[in-house]
Amino acid sequence: MTSVEERRIVIRNSHGENLVGILLETGSKDLVIICHGFQSKKERIPMVTLATTLGREGISAFRFDFAGNGESEGSFMYGNYRREAEDLRAVVRHFRKNQRLITAIVGHSKGGNVVLLYSSKYNDVPTVINISGRFHLEKGMEGRLGKDFLQRIKQNGFIDVKNREGQFEYRVTQESLMDRLTTDIRAACLSIDQNCRVLTIHGSMDKIVPAKDALEFARFIRNHKLHIIEGADHEYTAHQDELATVVLDFVKAVREDRNSAERLQSCERAVNFIKARI
């Protein structure tokens, strides 16, 4: 049975903020990085379930808090998609320096957008898994900000978002709103290298991000697989095991293809060496 150890790791991002994460260490060279969604953190579902499932199969996993979320330093900001992609960049570089092979980057909800943006810019991770990401970022804001949010933010310069009890949660500035509205997910999808394998998973009963957004990712990403989990909500509340199995199977399949290619290359080198000696 694989020995698994949890370690708390702190990584400094490009803004000098400390990002806090949990490494589920199995001793494997392979590592999967897991990214949370909007106003979430590394301890929430499905991040913990995914890491645990990967760990059981001998694949190390790292889940962390973006700046301004959870235990990480920094101020929470609405939008922030590209900056969070740079947080992910700092995490990838940290583990690469420690000789780890980043097998996949996985993101839930907003984290799904972040891993796609990362891949479109850096193209250095072979597998990307987008769980319930939103394709149309101009939609889905009225529920939090109100129907007249554009008019109010132009008038006041900001909107303070409150919870159901009327307590202050966070401030949306005009700048942070524009960060979201100017993040072009379609362009990012078109920029992802065709050799990068992308899996999009979505719940058919998602009331936060409609399942039809998943079809848009399938339209614009060249090397793409789509998996709809019937009956699942946005957080896969009653479908954690099914979600984790789909993610695990995809990661294992890509890893096996890589290992097969490496074995083939090794055989070809051996044959060429023998031919050269004859």
Side-chain angles (χ1 to χ4, degrees), residues 16-249:
E17 299 158 334
N18 286 327
L19 307 176
V20 180
I22 300 295
L23 173 64
L24 197 68
E25 180 63 86
T26 67
S28 69
K29 187 176 181 181
D30 289 297
L31 178 71
V32 175
I33 300 172
I34 302 169
C35 303
H36 66 74
F38 179 75
Q39 272 203 308
S40 189
K41 55 186 177 180
K42 62 186 179 301
E43 287 82 15
R44 292 277 299 277
I45 59 170
M47 279 61 71
V48 174
T49 307
L50 294 174
T52 303
T53 301
L54 289 163
R56 286 198 199 108
E57 291 293 320
I59 302 169
S60 297
F62 182 71
R63 50 189 170 89
F64 72 100
D65 296 322
F66 286 115
N69 293 267
E71 292 184 278
S72 292
E73 294 178 349
S75 301
F76 173 82
M77 291 178 64
Y78 189 80
N80 240 21
Y81 289 83
R82 287 168 285 229
R83 183 162 168 167
E84 289 187 357
E86 295 308 309
D87 282 354
L88 177 56
R89 179 64 172 168
V91 171
V92 169
R93 294 181 71 179
H94 170 85
F95 284 106
R96 284 242 169 88
K97 287 178 183 177
N98 287 278
Q99 309 304 311
R100 302 305 287 260
L101 183 63
I102 312 301
T103 304
I105 48 177
V106 182
H108 173 245
S109 193
K110 183 185 178 186
N113 294 103
V114 171
V115 296
L116 293 170
L117 288 166
Y118 177 93
S119 182
S120 71
K121 182 173 182 179
Y122 293 108
N123 184 34
D124 61 355
V125 177
T127 309
V128 175
I129 301 177
N130 159 39
I131 304 171
S132 304
R134 185 184 292 278
F135 188 86
H136 299 288
L137 293 184
E138 73 279 8
K139 297 182 180 179
M141 291 182 283
E142 288 186 355
R144 287 192 174 100
L145 307 183
K147 289 187 178 181
D148 56 347
F149 67 90
L150 278 174
Q151 179 183 343
R152 285 188 292 125
I153 208 162
K154 284 179 181 177
Q155 182 178 344
N156 302 318
F158 65 88
I159 293 174
D160 283 341
V161 177
K162 299 177 181 178
N163 61 21
R164 292 177 181 176
E165 287 73 42
Q167 298 170 322
F168 174 83
E169 279 197 302
Y170 57 89
R171 173 166 290 186
V172 179
T173 64
Q174 190 164 1
E175 180 185 7
S176 63
L177 178 64
M178 291 310 297
D179 179 273
R180 172 166 173 161
L181 292 176
T182 58
T183 299
D184 192 338
I185 295 300
R186 179 180 180 275
C189 291
L190 291 169
S191 299
I192 296 173
D193 189 272
Q194 62 182 359
N195 293 316
C196 175
R197 298 189 184 187
V198 180
L199 170 65
T200 291
I201 307 170
H202 216 105
S204 66
M205 299 300 290
D206 191 332
K207 290 183 170 57
I208 305 297
V209 179
K212 64 183 180 182
D213 275 36
L215 303 178
E216 296 297 299
F217 291 114
R219 282 181 63 200
F220 294 106
I221 299 174
R222 285 171 285 185
N223 191 349
H224 185 271
K225 181 179 179 181
L226 174 62
H227 187 103
I228 301 295
I229 295 182
E230 292 299 326
D233 61 17
H234 189 64
E235 292 203 332
Y236 300 83
T237 310
H239 296 79
Q240 289 289 295
D241 290 343
E242 186 176 352
L243 172 65
T245 298
V246 173
V247 170
L248 176 64
D249 288 348

Side-chain angles (χ1 to χ4, degrees), residues 30 32 54 57 59 101-104 126-127 197 247-265:
D30 289 297
V32 175
L54 289 163
E57 291 293 320
I59 302 169
L101 183 63
I102 312 301
T103 304
T127 309
R197 298 189 184 187
V247 170
L248 176 64
D249 288 348
F250 193 73
V251 170
K252 287 172 67 177
V254 171
R255 189 174 65 161
E256 182 54 38
D257 286 349
R258 184 199 71 207
N259 291 341
S260 297
E262 289 175 353
R263 287 193 294 268
L264 179 61
Q265 288 175 357

